[in-house]
Amino acid sequence: MAETEVNSVFLQQLMELGISEEKAKEALIKTGNQSSDSAALFYFSELEMLPGFEVNETFNNEYKMVLVVNMELTMGIGKIAAQVAHAALGLYQMMTEESDNWQQILRVWDDNGGKKIVLKGMSTGHLLELQEQACQQKLPNYLVQDAGRTQIAAGSHTVLAIMGEETLVDRVTGSLPLL
């Protein structure tokens, strides 16, 4: 087998763990293409050395998405539902386009049921404060600004979506009431 060829079965097994094809091939090559287990161990030990990524956190903890609705805005139930959906999709799409770490978080979150919680935020200022706290915790987040075609003014901040390890997300939103 040539140095750049990898066992397709091992490659598939690694990709099922959420490892990108490129990184899976690299891990197989660096471990002599002996097994998916040795390549996975290599891959995750390499990741452990990257700043801001802890393997134990990713695989042992629960992830959740929290959606915080701006309650100072006068939105009907349908409008709130649409804005919550917009925030969830916006955050999900953003995370799929970013780092392998965020993509891995999404995979683990999806595999464990995709926990989502909708909470009440007090105001636009409150949502902006929560977003700042989420950024300080290095949590992916997405803030929806409405187009202003129906019930509220254009540019209004309607819903903040935050995703991450449950204890970190709770540091930001744990005191907020359910919607």
Side-chain angles (χ1 to χ4, degrees):
M1 184 176 282
E3 186 179 336
T4 57
E5 290 181 331
V6 295
N7 181 303
S8 61
V9 173
F10 296 160
L11 179 64
Q12 184 62 36
Q13 289 170 341
L14 292 170
M15 290 172 63
E16 287 172 3
L17 291 173
I19 301 172
S20 72
E21 183 175 359
E22 177 185 22
K23 295 288 186 184
K25 284 181 180 179
E26 180 182 348
L28 283 167
I29 291 167
K30 288 188 177 182
T31 58
N33 204 34
Q34 296 174 356
S35 72
S36 58
D37 288 345
S38 61
L41 286 172
F42 172 82
Y43 176 79
F44 291 117
S45 68
E46 288 291 307
L47 270 183
E48 196 168 23
M49 294 178 199
L50 293 176
F53 183 87
E54 296 179 30
V55 174
N56 292 338
E57 241 183 42
T58 301
F59 294 100
N60 294 334
N61 292 329
E62 293 282 324
Y63 290 96
K64 71 178 175 181
M65 180 185 293
V66 171
L67 302 127
V68 184
V69 177
N70 185 346
M71 299 307 293
E72 87 176 335
L73 300 173
T74 306
M75 296 186 285
I77 294 170
K79 179 70 170 178
I80 291 172
Q83 294 299 296
V84 166
H86 186 89
L89 284 171
L91 179 60
Y92 193 93
Q93 288 171 338
M94 180 190 81
M95 289 179 70
T96 61
E97 296 167 2
E98 292 294 326
S99 71
D100 286 343
N101 186 31
W102 282 7
Q103 292 172 21
Q104 179 64 27
I105 289 170
L106 283 176
R107 285 185 197 96
V108 173
W109 175 75
D110 272 337
D111 290 346
N112 289 309
K115 186 179 203 178
K116 293 166 282 309
I117 304 197
V118 182
L119 303 170
K120 294 179 182 179
M122 294 181 290
S123 64
T124 298
H126 187 219
L127 263 61
L128 294 172
E129 288 172 20
L130 294 170
Q131 184 180 37
E132 177 61 30
Q133 290 175 31
C135 289
Q136 288 172 357
Q137 295 290 328
K138 296 184 170 86
L139 294 169
N141 63 83
Y142 183 88
L143 183 58
V144 177
Q145 283 190 274
D146 193 66
R149 295 188 188 108
T150 57
Q151 299 176 11
I152 56 177
S156 297
H157 297 283
T158 58
V159 178
L160 172 64
I162 303 170
M163 165 80 80
E165 195 272 315
E166 194 161 0
T167 59
L168 291 177
V169 173
D170 286 348
R171 287 182 194 170
V172 177
T173 63
S175 65
L176 301 179
L178 292 171
L179 179 68

